[in-house]
Amino acid sequence: MKCIVLQADGVSDEPLPGLGGKTPLEAARTPHLDAMASRGILGLARMIPPGVSPDGEAGSLAVLGYDPARHRLGCAPLEAIAHGIPLRPGDVAFRLQLVTVELGDDGSELLSDPTGGQPTAEEARWIVADLARALGDGATDVWQGSGYRHGLLWRGGEAGMRTVSPHAIVGKSVAAALPVGPGAERLRETMRVARDVLEMHPVCAARRAAGRPGPNAIWLWGQGGVPQLPPFHERFPLRGRLLAARDLPRGLGQLAGLEVREVPEGVGEEPGLVAAVLEAIDARDFVLVHWAVADEMGHLGNPVEKVTSIERFDAEIVGPLLEALGARGGAWRLAVVPGHATPCGLRGHSMDPVPFVVAVAGDEARGRAQKRGYQERDAREVGIFVGDGHTLIERLLRA
């Protein structure tokens, strides 16, 4: 049995006034996903357990079959692994995120943009290189990530302070969400120094002069020490490959002992991604693909572009994969399982259950298809509900 799981993070959402009261999945034209739903298995799954922050780490753990309530790793250590940053006992890795802070009507500082105005790769390289020089002091190192996501390593640091995702405080007070607890003062000072750097930085000044938003602060969060995880192959004795563009899932795949390949992600990159998936399924029994374009549109609060991204996902990834798998024959299974929802109104991840769909070889030979599509309402009305989303992968691989 060949099994492909498409981790389509962020596709699930809430009904939006700008879409006529529909969710992006309901508004999008998705004939291939709908065909999967009409003849295959459709349902809802709770990927984020109660009491667990709905970070990308938790959702990715759940999709890969690990209980996020048992395995608290932190986003930053996984991203450090993806970049080859060695973590020693006592080291603590943090996400260093470029953000934009603005003054509210009452004069208080509010976090207005958790993506820092979406700096280009070249802009980010320049900014983070200068931050690394300003913040590095022998015990602190900064590493380059991509876009607005980067990292900070505190050697011999504290991991027990409370930090908050910047996506959870969009439009809210910065002061109320700053790190608290052991070691928090050092983090706050680091963030203060970074503010001074960004205030005078040529990239940020050029953006302001052009009337474009840009980063004027950093946010430190998602911390953790040396991560540990039981190997994936101990539960499932098969050969697996993980394909992802982002650092977090690639780091998680390495930690879990999967073969990891970096792949393109974004508009116009779909053919390259499909080719990589087909190559992987020829060589391996299990392939996990992390796709997060819709997640990014949710963070930007852009429902129109989110609908477009979902339609491209259906037309240029799901459709070609279904066609190729059908032509090859044999036993196969294709699943679409988001790790979390990313509502445009929230501009961050939510705890809401997400729709999943599974198609298997031979679905087309079945009798009359049911009238349903891949979207939240139909998934809810079908009545299949998986309360422990991390068990989905076991059902897929052992069914």
Side-chain angles (χ1 to χ4, degrees):
M1 170 71 73
K2 297 284 188 176
C3 184
I4 300 172
V5 175
L6 303 178
Q7 181 181 338
D9 279 351
V11 295
S12 188
D13 209 304
E14 300 169 347
L16 297 167
L19 299 178
K22 296 180 179 181
T23 70
L25 277 176
E26 290 175 318
R29 184 179 181 277
T30 54
H32 304 292
L33 286 165
D34 293 345
M36 290 177 65
S38 67
R39 295 185 183 274
I41 301 169
L42 176 69
L44 282 179
R46 180 186 290 119
M47 308 305 289
I48 310 296
V52 174
S53 177
D55 297 331
E57 166 231 355
S60 292
L61 278 167
V63 172
L64 201 49
Y66 296 95
D67 184 354
R70 292 183 54 196
H71 303 283
R72 304 290 185 92
L73 306 178
C75 299
L78 298 177
E79 292 166 339
I81 290 174
H83 282 276
I85 307 295
L87 294 179
R88 301 188 296 261
D91 291 346
V92 184
F94 294 83
R95 262 190 174 176
L96 186 157
Q97 192 154 322
L98 301 176
V99 301
T100 304
V101 172
E102 294 181 356
L103 289 179
D105 293 338
D106 62 355
S108 64
E109 289 192 326
L110 308 178
L111 197 143
S112 60
D113 185 354
T115 71
Q118 294 276 299
T120 67
E122 183 58 34
E123 287 174 333
R125 277 193 291 271
W126 188 357
I127 290 170
V128 176
D130 288 341
L131 284 172
R133 283 188 285 271
L135 303 180
D137 60 4
T140 301
D141 295 314
V142 172
W143 77 80
Q144 288 270 358
S146 59
Y148 57 88
R149 300 180 181 92
H150 307 275
L152 180 142
L153 182 61
W154 182 3
R155 301 199 180 277
E158 293 278 358
M161 77 285 290
R162 182 184 67 86
T163 63
V164 177
S165 164
H167 301 286
I169 60 167
V170 176
K172 298 179 181 179
S173 168
V174 166
L178 289 170
V180 295
E185 280 301 318
R186 181 183 177 95
L187 290 193
R188 291 184 181 214
E189 175 62 15
T190 299
M191 294 165 76
R192 187 197 64 75
V193 172
R195 289 285 292 267
D196 293 340
V197 173
L198 294 173
E199 181 65 30
M200 303 299 294
H201 200 278
V203 167
C204 304
R207 276 180 161 257
R208 287 194 298 270
R212 294 188 299 146
N216 60 7
I218 67 168
W219 200 259
L220 298 174
W221 68 289
Q223 74 272 16
V226 180
Q228 295 182 338
L229 202 63
F232 184 79
H233 64 77
E234 288 187 358
R235 291 188 63 198
F236 307 105
L238 44 73
R239 299 174 301 162
R241 182 180 294 179
L242 184 143
L243 306 176
R246 293 191 175 184
D247 298 335
L248 189 153
R250 288 190 288 111
L252 176 60
Q254 291 181 46
L255 185 64
L258 293 173
E259 181 183 54
V260 176
R261 298 284 177 85
E262 186 171 2
V263 293
E265 178 185 82
V267 175
E269 302 286 4
E270 293 89 351
L273 177 57
V274 170
V277 175
L278 294 176
E279 177 190 354
I281 205 63
D282 283 338
R284 299 290 179 260
D285 305 306
F286 166 68
V287 179
L288 174 61
V289 184
H290 183 266
W291 180 85
V293 179
D295 175 58
E296 198 62 46
M297 294 306 104
H299 284 308
L300 293 175
N302 192 330
V304 174
E305 288 301 319
K306 188 170 188 178
V307 169
T308 299
S309 71
I310 291 171
E311 291 180 341
R312 293 186 70 106
F313 175 68
D314 179 83
E316 301 183 29
I317 297 177
V318 177
L321 284 177
L322 285 171
E323 182 179 0
L325 290 170
R328 293 176 180 211
W332 55 265
R333 189 167 287 150
L334 175 67
V336 177
V337 184
H340 54 75
T342 311
C344 289
L346 186 63
R347 295 186 65 183
H349 304 165
S350 77
M351 303 286 293
D352 297 335
V354 295
F356 70 90
V357 65
V358 183
V360 300
D363 272 354
E364 289 300 317
R366 292 186 178 183
R368 185 177 178 182
Q370 300 184 56
K371 190 176 180 180
R372 63 192 189 194
Y374 178 66
Q375 38 102 334
E376 298 85 355
R377 179 164 36 191
D378 284 358
R380 184 167 53 250
E381 292 177 354
V382 165
I384 298 176
F385 179 72
V386 180
D388 295 320
H390 68 277
T391 65
L392 264 178
I393 193 71
E394 183 172 356
R395 301 178 189 209
L396 284 169
L397 297 180
R398 290 184 173 168

Short mmCIF file of all heavy atoms in Angstrom, two decimals, residues 248-309:
data_model
loop_
_atom_site.label_atom_id
_atom_site.label_comp_id
_atom_site.label_asym_id
_atom_site.label_seq_id
_atom_site.Cartn_x
_atom_site.Cartn_y
_atom_site.Cartn_z
N LEU A 248 10.03 24.22 10.08
CA LEU A 248 9.49 23.44 11.19
C LEU A 248 9.17 22.00 10.80
O LEU A 248 9.64 21.07 11.46
CB LEU A 248 8.25 24.14 11.77
CG LEU A 248 7.69 23.57 13.08
CD1 LEU A 248 6.98 24.66 13.87
CD2 LEU A 248 6.73 22.41 12.84
N PRO A 249 8.39 21.75 9.76
CA PRO A 249 8.12 20.35 9.42
C PRO A 249 9.37 19.59 8.98
O PRO A 249 9.49 18.39 9.25
CB PRO A 249 7.09 20.44 8.29
CG PRO A 249 7.20 21.82 7.76
CD PRO A 249 7.61 22.68 8.92
N ARG A 250 10.31 20.28 8.33
CA ARG A 250 11.55 19.58 7.95
C ARG A 250 12.36 19.18 9.18
O ARG A 250 12.91 18.07 9.24
CB ARG A 250 12.38 20.45 7.01
CG ARG A 250 11.76 20.56 5.62
CD ARG A 250 12.68 21.21 4.60
NE ARG A 250 12.82 22.63 4.82
CZ ARG A 250 13.93 23.23 5.23
NH1 ARG A 250 15.02 22.52 5.48
NH2 ARG A 250 13.97 24.54 5.40
N GLY A 251 12.41 20.06 10.18
CA GLY A 251 13.10 19.70 11.41
C GLY A 251 12.41 18.56 12.14
O GLY A 251 13.06 17.66 12.68
N LEU A 252 11.08 18.59 12.15
CA LEU A 252 10.32 17.51 12.79
C LEU A 252 10.57 16.19 12.07
O LEU A 252 10.74 15.15 12.71
CB LEU A 252 8.83 17.85 12.79
CG LEU A 252 7.89 16.77 13.34
CD1 LEU A 252 8.23 16.44 14.79
CD2 LEU A 252 6.44 17.22 13.23
N GLY A 253 10.57 16.23 10.75
CA GLY A 253 10.84 15.01 10.00
C GLY A 253 12.20 14.43 10.30
O GLY A 253 12.35 13.21 10.46
N GLN A 254 13.21 15.28 10.39
CA GLN A 254 14.55 14.80 10.74
C GLN A 254 14.56 14.18 12.13
O GLN A 254 15.15 13.12 12.35
CB GLN A 254 15.55 15.95 10.68
CG GLN A 254 15.83 16.46 9.27
CD GLN A 254 16.86 17.58 9.27
OE1 GLN A 254 17.90 17.49 9.93
NE2 GLN A 254 16.57 18.65 8.54
N LEU A 255 13.91 14.86 13.08
CA LEU A 255 13.87 14.35 14.45
C LEU A 255 13.16 13.00 14.51
O LEU A 255 13.55 12.12 15.29
CB LEU A 255 13.15 15.36 15.35
CG LEU A 255 13.12 15.06 16.85
CD1 LEU A 255 14.53 15.05 17.44
CD2 LEU A 255 12.25 16.08 17.58
N ALA A 256 12.13 12.82 13.69
CA ALA A 256 11.38 11.57 13.68
C ALA A 256 12.07 10.46 12.89
O ALA A 256 11.60 9.32 12.89
CB ALA A 256 9.99 11.81 13.11
N GLY A 257 13.16 10.79 12.23
CA GLY A 257 13.91 9.77 11.50
C GLY A 257 13.42 9.53 10.09
O GLY A 257 13.79 8.52 9.47
N LEU A 258 12.61 10.45 9.54
CA LEU A 258 12.17 10.32 8.16
C LEU A 258 13.22 10.88 7.21
O LEU A 258 14.04 11.73 7.59
CB LEU A 258 10.86 11.07 7.94
CG LEU A 258 9.61 10.54 8.65
CD1 LEU A 258 8.45 11.51 8.44
CD2 LEU A 258 9.24 9.16 8.15
N GLU A 259 13.20 10.42 5.99
CA GLU A 259 14.00 11.06 4.95
C GLU A 259 13.32 12.38 4.61
O GLU A 259 12.11 12.41 4.37
CB GLU A 259 14.06 10.15 3.73
CG GLU A 259 14.89 10.71 2.60
CD GLU A 259 14.86 9.82 1.38
OE1 GLU A 259 13.74 9.50 0.93
OE2 GLU A 259 15.92 9.44 0.89
N VAL A 260 14.07 13.47 4.59
CA VAL A 260 13.49 14.80 4.42
C VAL A 260 14.05 15.45 3.17
O VAL A 260 15.26 15.43 2.93
CB VAL A 260 13.77 15.69 5.65
CG1 VAL A 260 13.26 17.10 5.43
CG2 VAL A 260 13.13 15.08 6.89
N ARG A 261 13.15 16.01 2.38
CA ARG A 261 13.56 16.76 1.19
C ARG A 261 12.89 18.13 1.20
O ARG A 261 11.70 18.24 1.50
CB ARG A 261 13.14 16.02 -0.09
CG ARG A 261 13.78 14.64 -0.25
CD ARG A 261 15.22 14.75 -0.70
NE ARG A 261 15.86 13.44 -0.78
CZ ARG A 261 15.79 12.65 -1.85
NH1 ARG A 261 15.10 13.04 -2.91
NH2 ARG A 261 16.39 11.47 -1.85
N GLU A 262 13.66 19.16 0.88
CA GLU A 262 13.08 20.49 0.74
C GLU A 262 12.46 20.62 -0.64
O GLU A 262 13.06 20.19 -1.64
CB GLU A 262 14.15 21.57 0.93
CG GLU A 262 13.61 22.98 0.94
CD GLU A 262 14.65 24.01 1.34
OE1 GLU A 262 15.81 23.64 1.58
OE2 GLU A 262 14.29 25.21 1.41
N VAL A 263 11.27 21.19 -0.71
CA VAL A 263 10.56 21.32 -1.98
C VAL A 263 10.07 22.76 -2.12
O VAL A 263 9.96 23.50 -1.15
CB VAL A 263 9.34 20.36 -2.05
CG1 VAL A 263 9.80 18.92 -2.09
CG2 VAL A 263 8.39 20.59 -0.89
N PRO A 264 9.76 23.18 -3.35
CA PRO A 264 9.23 24.54 -3.55
C PRO A 264 7.81 24.63 -3.04
O PRO A 264 7.08 23.64 -2.97
CB PRO A 264 9.30 24.72 -5.07
CG PRO A 264 9.19 23.33 -5.62
CD PRO A 264 9.92 22.46 -4.63
N GLU A 265 7.39 25.85 -2.69
CA GLU A 265 6.02 26.08 -2.25
C GLU A 265 5.64 27.49 -2.64
O GLU A 265 6.36 28.44 -2.36
CB GLU A 265 5.90 25.91 -0.74
CG GLU A 265 4.50 26.19 -0.20
CD GLU A 265 4.44 26.12 1.32
OE1 GLU A 265 4.80 27.11 1.96
OE2 GLU A 265 4.05 25.07 1.83
N GLY A 266 4.51 27.63 -3.28
CA GLY A 266 4.05 28.96 -3.66
C GLY A 266 3.44 28.96 -5.04
O GLY A 266 3.44 27.94 -5.75
N VAL A 267 2.93 30.09 -5.44
CA VAL A 267 2.27 30.22 -6.74
C VAL A 267 3.27 29.92 -7.85
O VAL A 267 4.37 30.46 -7.88
CB VAL A 267 1.68 31.63 -6.91
CG1 VAL A 267 1.11 31.81 -8.30
CG2 VAL A 267 0.61 31.88 -5.86
N GLY A 268 2.88 29.04 -8.76
CA GLY A 268 3.75 28.66 -9.86
C GLY A 268 4.68 27.51 -9.57
O GLY A 268 5.37 27.02 -10.46
N GLU A 269 4.72 27.07 -8.31
CA GLU A 269 5.64 26.00 -7.91
C GLU A 269 4.97 24.63 -7.87
O GLU A 269 5.61 23.63 -7.60
CB GLU A 269 6.23 26.30 -6.53
CG GLU A 269 6.98 27.61 -6.41
CD GLU A 269 8.33 27.59 -7.08
OE1 GLU A 269 8.67 26.57 -7.72
OE2 GLU A 269 9.06 28.60 -6.99
N GLU A 270 3.66 24.59 -8.14
CA GLU A 270 2.92 23.34 -7.97
C GLU A 270 3.45 22.18 -8.82
O GLU A 270 3.56 21.05 -8.31
CB GLU A 270 1.43 23.57 -8.27
CG GLU A 270 0.72 24.47 -7.28
CD GLU A 270 0.79 25.93 -7.64
OE1 GLU A 270 1.54 26.27 -8.59
OE2 GLU A 270 0.10 26.73 -7.00
N PRO A 271 3.79 22.39 -10.11
CA PRO A 271 4.31 21.26 -10.90
C PRO A 271 5.56 20.64 -10.29
O PRO A 271 5.73 19.42 -10.31
CB PRO A 271 4.59 21.88 -12.27
CG PRO A 271 3.65 23.05 -12.34
CD PRO A 271 3.59 23.59 -10.94
N GLY A 272 6.45 21.48 -9.75
CA GLY A 272 7.66 20.95 -9.12
C GLY A 272 7.35 20.14 -7.89
O GLY A 272 7.98 19.11 -7.62
N LEU A 273 6.34 20.57 -7.14
CA LEU A 273 5.95 19.83 -5.95
C LEU A 273 5.34 18.49 -6.32
O LEU A 273 5.65 17.46 -5.72
CB LEU A 273 4.95 20.66 -5.13
CG LEU A 273 4.38 20.00 -3.87
CD1 LEU A 273 5.48 19.58 -2.92
CD2 LEU A 273 3.40 20.94 -3.17
N VAL A 274 4.47 18.47 -7.31
CA VAL A 274 3.85 17.22 -7.74
C VAL A 274 4.90 16.23 -8.23
O VAL A 274 4.85 15.03 -7.90
CB VAL A 274 2.79 17.49 -8.84
CG1 VAL A 274 2.32 16.17 -9.46
CG2 VAL A 274 1.62 18.24 -8.26
N ALA A 275 5.86 16.70 -9.00
CA ALA A 275 6.93 15.82 -9.49
C ALA A 275 7.71 15.23 -8.33
O ALA A 275 8.07 14.04 -8.35
CB ALA A 275 7.86 16.60 -10.41
N ALA A 276 7.96 16.04 -7.29
CA ALA A 276 8.69 15.54 -6.12
C ALA A 276 7.87 14.49 -5.37
O ALA A 276 8.43 13.50 -4.85
CB ALA A 276 9.03 16.70 -5.18
N VAL A 277 6.56 14.67 -5.29
CA VAL A 277 5.71 13.69 -4.62
C VAL A 277 5.71 12.37 -5.37
O VAL A 277 5.84 11.28 -4.77
CB VAL A 277 4.26 14.22 -4.48
CG1 VAL A 277 3.36 13.15 -3.89
CG2 VAL A 277 4.23 15.47 -3.61
N LEU A 278 5.58 12.42 -6.69
CA LEU A 278 5.55 11.18 -7.48
C LEU A 278 6.89 10.46 -7.42
O LEU A 278 6.95 9.23 -7.36
CB LEU A 278 5.17 11.52 -8.92
CG LEU A 278 3.75 12.06 -9.10
CD1 LEU A 278 3.50 12.44 -10.54
CD2 LEU A 278 2.72 11.04 -8.61
N GLU A 279 7.97 11.22 -7.44
CA GLU A 279 9.30 10.60 -7.28
C GLU A 279 9.41 9.92 -5.92
O GLU A 279 9.93 8.81 -5.79
CB GLU A 279 10.39 11.64 -7.43
CG GLU A 279 11.80 11.09 -7.21
CD GLU A 279 12.86 12.18 -7.12
OE1 GLU A 279 12.54 13.35 -7.34
OE2 GLU A 279 14.02 11.84 -6.79
N ALA A 280 8.89 10.59 -4.88
CA ALA A 280 8.98 10.05 -3.53
C ALA A 280 8.16 8.78 -3.37
O ALA A 280 8.61 7.80 -2.75
CB ALA A 280 8.50 11.09 -2.52
N ILE A 281 6.96 8.74 -3.94
CA ILE A 281 6.11 7.56 -3.77
C ILE A 281 6.63 6.38 -4.58
O ILE A 281 6.33 5.22 -4.27
CB ILE A 281 4.64 7.90 -4.14
CG1 ILE A 281 3.68 6.95 -3.40
CG2 ILE A 281 4.42 7.85 -5.63
CD1 ILE A 281 3.72 7.07 -1.90
N ASP A 282 7.44 6.63 -5.61
CA ASP A 282 8.11 5.53 -6.31
C ASP A 282 9.17 4.88 -5.43
O ASP A 282 9.43 3.68 -5.54
CB ASP A 282 8.75 6.04 -7.60
CG ASP A 282 7.73 6.26 -8.71
OD1 ASP A 282 6.65 5.65 -8.64
OD2 ASP A 282 8.02 7.04 -9.63
N ALA A 283 9.79 5.70 -4.57
CA ALA A 283 10.91 5.21 -3.76
C ALA A 283 10.51 4.80 -2.36
O ALA A 283 11.23 4.05 -1.71
CB ALA A 283 12.00 6.29 -3.69
N ARG A 284 9.38 5.29 -1.88
CA ARG A 284 8.99 5.07 -0.49
C ARG A 284 7.54 4.59 -0.40
O ARG A 284 6.76 4.74 -1.33
CB ARG A 284 9.17 6.36 0.33
CG ARG A 284 10.60 6.87 0.38
CD ARG A 284 11.49 5.96 1.22
NE ARG A 284 12.87 6.42 1.26
CZ ARG A 284 13.86 5.94 0.52
NH1 ARG A 284 13.59 4.99 -0.38
NH2 ARG A 284 15.09 6.40 0.64
N ASP A 285 7.18 4.04 0.77
CA ASP A 285 5.82 3.56 0.99
C ASP A 285 4.90 4.66 1.51
O ASP A 285 3.69 4.62 1.29
CB ASP A 285 5.83 2.42 2.01
CG ASP A 285 6.76 1.30 1.61
OD1 ASP A 285 6.62 0.80 0.49
OD2 ASP A 285 7.66 0.94 2.41
N PHE A 286 5.48 5.63 2.21
CA PHE A 286 4.70 6.68 2.85
C PHE A 286 5.35 8.03 2.55
O PHE A 286 6.57 8.20 2.69
CB PHE A 286 4.66 6.46 4.37
CG PHE A 286 4.17 7.65 5.15
CD1 PHE A 286 2.85 8.07 5.06
CD2 PHE A 286 5.04 8.34 6.00
CE1 PHE A 286 2.41 9.18 5.78
CE2 PHE A 286 4.60 9.44 6.73
CZ PHE A 286 3.28 9.85 6.62
N VAL A 287 4.53 9.00 2.13
CA VAL A 287 5.03 10.34 1.83
C VAL A 287 4.12 11.35 2.52
O VAL A 287 2.89 11.32 2.35
CB VAL A 287 5.06 10.62 0.31
CG1 VAL A 287 5.56 12.03 0.05
CG2 VAL A 287 5.93 9.60 -0.40
N LEU A 288 4.71 12.22 3.30
CA LEU A 288 3.99 13.32 3.94
C LEU A 288 4.43 14.62 3.28
O LEU A 288 5.63 14.92 3.22
CB LEU A 288 4.28 13.36 5.44
CG LEU A 288 3.70 14.56 6.22
CD1 LEU A 288 2.18 14.59 6.12
CD2 LEU A 288 4.14 14.51 7.68
N VAL A 289 3.46 15.39 2.80
CA VAL A 289 3.74 16.64 2.11
C VAL A 289 3.16 17.79 2.93
O VAL A 289 1.96 17.81 3.21
CB VAL A 289 3.11 16.66 0.70
CG1 VAL A 289 3.49 17.94 -0.03
CG2 VAL A 289 3.50 15.42 -0.08
N HIS A 290 4.00 18.72 3.31
CA HIS A 290 3.53 19.89 4.05
C HIS A 290 3.32 21.03 3.07
O HIS A 290 4.24 21.46 2.38
CB HIS A 290 4.54 20.30 5.12
CG HIS A 290 4.09 21.44 5.97
ND1 HIS A 290 4.42 22.75 5.69
CD2 HIS A 290 3.32 21.49 7.09
CE1 HIS A 290 3.89 23.54 6.60
NE2 HIS A 290 3.21 22.81 7.46
N TRP A 291 2.06 21.54 3.00
CA TRP A 291 1.71 22.64 2.11
C TRP A 291 1.01 23.70 2.94
O TRP A 291 0.02 23.41 3.61
CB TRP A 291 0.80 22.13 1.00
CG TRP A 291 0.36 23.18 0.02
CD1 TRP A 291 1.03 23.60 -1.08
CD2 TRP A 291 -0.86 23.92 0.05
NE1 TRP A 291 0.30 24.58 -1.74
CE2 TRP A 291 -0.87 24.79 -1.06
CE3 TRP A 291 -1.95 23.95 0.92
CZ2 TRP A 291 -1.91 25.67 -1.33
CZ3 TRP A 291 -3.00 24.83 0.66
CH2 TRP A 291 -2.97 25.67 -0.46
N ALA A 292 1.50 24.92 2.91
CA ALA A 292 1.00 25.93 3.85
C ALA A 292 0.73 27.28 3.20
O ALA A 292 0.77 28.30 3.87
CB ALA A 292 2.00 26.10 4.99
N VAL A 293 0.41 27.31 1.91
CA VAL A 293 0.11 28.58 1.26
C VAL A 293 -1.17 29.17 1.83
O VAL A 293 -1.26 30.37 2.10
CB VAL A 293 0.01 28.41 -0.27
CG1 VAL A 293 -0.32 29.74 -0.94
CG2 VAL A 293 1.32 27.85 -0.83
N ALA A 294 -2.20 28.33 2.02
CA ALA A 294 -3.45 28.83 2.60
C ALA A 294 -3.24 29.32 4.03
O ALA A 294 -3.89 30.28 4.47
CB ALA A 294 -4.52 27.74 2.57
N ASP A 295 -2.35 28.67 4.75
CA ASP A 295 -2.03 29.11 6.11
C ASP A 295 -1.46 30.52 6.09
O ASP A 295 -1.84 31.37 6.92
CB ASP A 295 -1.02 28.14 6.72
CG ASP A 295 -0.52 28.56 8.09
OD1 ASP A 295 -1.36 28.73 8.99
OD2 ASP A 295 0.70 28.73 8.25
N GLU A 296 -0.60 30.80 5.14
CA GLU A 296 0.00 32.12 5.03
C GLU A 296 -1.07 33.16 4.72
O GLU A 296 -1.06 34.28 5.26
CB GLU A 296 1.08 32.13 3.96
CG GLU A 296 2.04 33.30 4.06
CD GLU A 296 2.81 33.30 5.36
OE1 GLU A 296 3.33 32.24 5.77
OE2 GLU A 296 2.89 34.39 5.98
N MET A 297 -2.02 32.82 3.84
CA MET A 297 -3.09 33.76 3.51
C MET A 297 -3.98 34.02 4.73
O MET A 297 -4.49 35.12 4.92
CB MET A 297 -3.94 33.22 2.36
CG MET A 297 -3.20 33.12 1.03
SD MET A 297 -2.43 34.66 0.49
CE MET A 297 -0.69 34.33 0.86
N GLY A 298 -4.15 33.00 5.57
CA GLY A 298 -4.89 33.20 6.81
C GLY A 298 -4.18 34.15 7.74
O GLY A 298 -4.80 35.03 8.36
N HIS A 299 -2.85 34.01 7.85
CA HIS A 299 -2.08 34.92 8.69
C HIS A 299 -2.13 36.36 8.17
O HIS A 299 -2.06 37.31 8.95
CB HIS A 299 -0.62 34.45 8.76
CG HIS A 299 -0.40 33.28 9.66
ND1 HIS A 299 -0.84 33.24 10.95
CD2 HIS A 299 0.22 32.09 9.43
CE1 HIS A 299 -0.50 32.08 11.51
NE2 HIS A 299 0.14 31.37 10.59
N LEU A 300 -2.25 36.49 6.87
CA LEU A 300 -2.33 37.83 6.28
C LEU A 300 -3.75 38.39 6.33
O LEU A 300 -3.98 39.55 5.99
CB LEU A 300 -1.84 37.80 4.83
CG LEU A 300 -0.35 37.50 4.63
CD1 LEU A 300 -0.03 37.37 3.16
CD2 LEU A 300 0.52 38.57 5.28
N GLY A 301 -4.72 37.55 6.72
CA GLY A 301 -6.10 37.99 6.77
C GLY A 301 -6.68 38.28 5.40
O GLY A 301 -7.47 39.21 5.23
N ASN A 302 -6.29 37.47 4.40
CA ASN A 302 -6.67 37.72 3.01
C ASN A 302 -7.56 36.58 2.49
O ASN A 302 -7.05 35.61 1.92
CB ASN A 302 -5.42 37.86 2.15
CG ASN A 302 -5.73 38.40 0.76
OD1 ASN A 302 -6.81 38.19 0.23
ND2 ASN A 302 -4.77 39.11 0.19
N PRO A 303 -8.88 36.66 2.67
CA PRO A 303 -9.74 35.56 2.27
C PRO A 303 -9.78 35.32 0.76
O PRO A 303 -9.92 34.18 0.31
CB PRO A 303 -11.12 35.96 2.80
CG PRO A 303 -11.06 37.43 3.00
CD PRO A 303 -9.63 37.74 3.34
N VAL A 304 -9.69 36.39 -0.03
CA VAL A 304 -9.74 36.24 -1.49
C VAL A 304 -8.55 35.42 -1.98
O VAL A 304 -8.70 34.47 -2.76
CB VAL A 304 -9.79 37.61 -2.19
CG1 VAL A 304 -9.69 37.45 -3.71
CG2 VAL A 304 -11.07 38.34 -1.82
N GLU A 305 -7.35 35.77 -1.53
CA GLU A 305 -6.17 35.01 -1.92
C GLU A 305 -6.16 33.61 -1.32
O GLU A 305 -5.59 32.68 -1.89
CB GLU A 305 -4.90 35.77 -1.52
CG GLU A 305 -4.63 36.99 -2.37
CD GLU A 305 -4.49 36.64 -3.84
OE1 GLU A 305 -3.86 35.60 -4.17
OE2 GLU A 305 -5.02 37.39 -4.68
N LYS A 306 -6.81 33.46 -0.17
CA LYS A 306 -6.92 32.12 0.41
C LYS A 306 -7.77 31.22 -0.47
O LYS A 306 -7.42 30.06 -0.72
CB LYS A 306 -7.50 32.19 1.82
CG LYS A 306 -7.47 30.86 2.56
CD LYS A 306 -7.82 31.05 4.02
CE LYS A 306 -7.61 29.77 4.81
NZ LYS A 306 -7.91 29.94 6.24
N VAL A 307 -8.87 31.74 -0.96
CA VAL A 307 -9.71 30.98 -1.89
C VAL A 307 -8.90 30.60 -3.13
O VAL A 307 -8.93 29.45 -3.59
CB VAL A 307 -10.96 31.79 -2.28
CG1 VAL A 307 -11.69 31.12 -3.45
CG2 VAL A 307 -11.89 31.94 -1.09
N THR A 308 -8.16 31.57 -3.67
CA THR A 308 -7.34 31.30 -4.85
C THR A 308 -6.31 30.21 -4.58
O THR A 308 -6.09 29.31 -5.42
CB THR A 308 -6.62 32.58 -5.31
OG1 THR A 308 -7.60 33.57 -5.65
CG2 THR A 308 -5.73 32.32 -6.51
N SER A 309 -5.66 30.26 -3.42
CA SER A 309 -4.65 29.25 -3.09
C SER A 309 -5.27 27.87 -2.98
O SER A 309 -4.68 26.88 -3.42
CB SER A 309 -3.93 29.62 -1.79
OG SER A 309 -4.77 29.46 -0.66
#
